[in-house]
Amino acid sequence: MCGIVGYIGPNEAAPFLIEGLTKLEYRGYDSAGIAVFDGNRINVEKSVGRLGNLEKKVEGKSPQGHIGIGHTRWATHGRPSDVNSHPHTDCSGKFVVVHNGIIENYLHLKEQLIAKGHVFTSETDTEVVAHLVEDYYDGDLESTVKKVLNVIEGSYALVFMSEYEPDKIICTKQDNPLVIGLGEGENFIASDIPAIISRTRKTYILSDGEMAIVTKDSVWVMNRQGVPVTKKVFEVHWDAEAAEKGGYEHFMIKEIYEQPKAVRETMSARLAKDDSAVILDELKWNKHDLAAIKKIFIVACGTAYHAGVVGKYYIEKLARIPVEVDIASEFRYRSPLVDENTLTIVVSQSGETSDTLAALKEAKRLGARTLAVTNVVGSSIAREADQVIYTWAGPEIAVASTKAYTTQLVTMFLLAAYMAGIKETVAPERIKELIQGLRNVPSQIHELLEDVEPIKTFAQKYGFNEDVFFIGRSLDYAVALEGSLKLKEISYIHAEAYAAGELKHGTLALIIEGVPVIALATQNDVYEKTLSNIKEVKARDAVVIGVALKGDTQIDKYVDHTIFIPHTDKILAPILAVIPLQLLSYYAAVTRGCDVDKPRNLAKSVTVE
Ligand code: AGP
């Protein structure tokens, strides 16, 4: 998730580009850059790090010109650096591109272009697009861009500029946002409304597959086939802060609604087209590598640790390798039995959590092979680990982690299925079945987010209870852990999660009349056992909210309320079952008037011991 801007008009472009990028920095802050045509040539200025570095770099010598594009980066391919910063140009420097999204087939296209003599300067997927424009250019940028769009695969918002046609900017989008701000004798382009709201409130919101030719006096929009599209003007009434949240009240709920896309982006380039296998090019493991791994440790903190608990289940179940899950602050001081036959996987959204980083260093010191699962390219943990798998959730601003967690679960599944594929510990048809189930998950999350009213009602009804329990067995217990942490950290309700079978060994003493119990029952192999645990708490007059799979005709008889999630394989159920728990926590916090995005006593990235 990067931020893109563009300007064409009578005024200097650079001031708007910088101002617009400032408003989009919440979308990515690894590097920034602008490209402006000065009447003769396109001048590109870019710099690694926060936008401030670029501002310092162009201070007093801002690129002159009335047409320009800009970008603030959230790295996915290629660590944060000057060369990997956007805008990217072709070999001649006469074509320039900025991009938000992922070009999934970039490696294949890059090899073809290099074979034709193109010289690449960066590690990014985006630079391929600039060279494709150079390769296809036929004197008409519009038809050239159409050819380029026919060969690239993935998600994108792309903006093109050329020295040969300096009277226009061309932009297009597929699965990533792009808006055009309509001015008087000038026009603006941006990933999101905050960038243009101070200049105009009249916008065109581009739809998937649409392309726009933007000049200072006109905006032509057409669909993929080149057929003109009459766009309705979207008048923006939000204030700047609301705009940053895309009209949502908090970043947390915005990020909850971003999960279908985050999950899709994290999986799509890593699944074989025929669903036969998981492809993790970043690992390139073989039978020999896996034979050497006698034991796996998954080490993390907080929500990332909870993703590790699910990962243990996935890897042991599918790849048949023993896994131990450890809290990082414990792992690093308990002289864990780690050696050269151990794989240590650390999980961290920020990639900067100091306990997790220290645990990683400790595992390396003890000779382990190390793998990081993180959301931030170029973060300390990513740089320290031997290998990295990135979750592609985009920047997560709210302290309470939501979309990072579901993308971590997807990554844990991909890793387990990848190892199972190499070790042949799971039948090919079962792998295929699971991959096809996974492909449905983004739309199933979407379905879940379409009707939140019942959950809002439960939160308003039970949101003032000071004690809440979450119970479940097997993978449901792992999700219960995450559900209780979410409720605790943003609503300050004392919530605890228990393995449902463990209640009768003590905690049941706390179950009294009216205590809310969230009971997850999505695992068919322990379903009856879970029902009997639900009966145990009902017998003590708890109020039970069940979370079950659609098509479950029994659960209603045993609980006070049921939240149904779309039917899926029990292995994939955690990715769906956590969504209502995230929503329950969010609406409970809102009901209690808590500062949802910045809960007391907490920080987004804990860089102290
Ligand atoms: C989760 O909502 C919390 N923000 C916290 O528990 C977090 O998961 C933990 O601090 C680990 O952070 P990381 O994933 O960035 O390493």
Side-chain angles (χ1 to χ4, degrees), residues 188-203:
F188 310 87
I189 293 162
S191 296
D192 211 342
I193 286 167
I196 56 174
I197 209 171
S198 63
R199 301 297 182 111
T200 175
R201 287 184 173 272
K202 291 188 172 21
T203 67

Side-chain angles (χ1 to χ4, degrees), residues 301-304 347-351 353 356 399-401 408 485-486 489 603-604 606:
C301 302
T303 287
V347 185
S348 174
Q349 185 286 127
S350 62
T353 300
T356 308
V399 168
S401 183
Q408 286 161 359
L485 176 63
K486 282 283 99 56
E489 67 176 316
K604 182 62 187 170
V606 183

Side-chain angles (χ1 to χ4, degrees), residues 12 92 219 234 279 462:
E12 282 300 314
S92 70
V219 177
F234 175 74
I279 305 160
Y462 302 111

Side-chain angles (χ1 to χ4, degrees), residues 1-59:
M1 189 157 111
C2 305
I4 285 176
V5 288
Y7 174 84
I8 184 163
N11 302 317
E12 282 300 314
F16 166 74
L17 299 177
I18 298 284
E19 175 203 314
L21 292 177
T22 311
K23 300 280 176 49
L24 295 180
E25 247 200 325
Y26 67 91
R27 299 179 60 86
Y29 30 78
D30 291 325
S31 63
I34 58 174
V36 180
F37 179 71
D38 66 7
N40 295 316
R41 55 186 297 272
I42 293 175
N43 299 301
V44 176
E45 292 288 352
K46 51 190 184 177
S47 167
V48 68
R50 303 296 297 250
L51 184 64
N53 296 354
L54 178 67
E55 287 179 283
K56 261 197 236 88
K57 192 174 177 197
V58 300
E59 203 163 4

